[in-house]
Amino acid sequence: MTGAEAARAPGSNFLAARVPDYQSRIEAVLARALEIDGAATPRLVEGMRYSTLAGGKRVRPVLVYSTGEALGSSPESSARSCS
């Protein structure tokens, strides 16, 4: 069943079922983006990681992933759109 078919299935909660996967993908993309070698002091990098990786629902990236999936795009392709 494709993402678009799952979204239309009766009794299906398309988004709620996929949010945990989307959130883990988003966290991985953000963690990779914050891998900074020698560009800043360790305390600055620690602060950047704390404020960026702290909990949150990250609504926009979840919408990017779910829209991409509904349109038949791969999660990897959607991740490139987020970064």
Side-chain angles (χ1 to χ4, degrees):
M1 178 182 299
T2 68
E5 291 167 337
R8 291 188 293 268
S12 172
N13 194 338
F14 173 78
L15 189 57
R18 287 163 174 78
V19 166
D21 179 54
Y22 296 157
Q23 287 178 328
S24 66
R25 289 177 180 277
I26 293 162
E27 296 297 323
V29 169
L30 289 173
R32 280 193 307 272
L34 289 172
E35 291 175 358
I36 302 170
D37 293 327
T41 64
R43 185 170 176 161
L44 177 59
V45 172
E46 178 185 341
M48 290 167 46
R49 291 183 61 80
Y50 173 79
S51 63
T52 303
L53 297 175
K57 295 190 180 194
R58 306 198 197 294
V59 174
R60 289 182 194 132
V62 167
L63 291 174
V64 169
Y65 278 118
S66 60
T67 301
E69 187 172 346
L71 296 173
S73 176
S74 71
E76 293 75 21
S77 177
S78 295
R80 287 190 295 273
S81 299
C82 290
S83 55

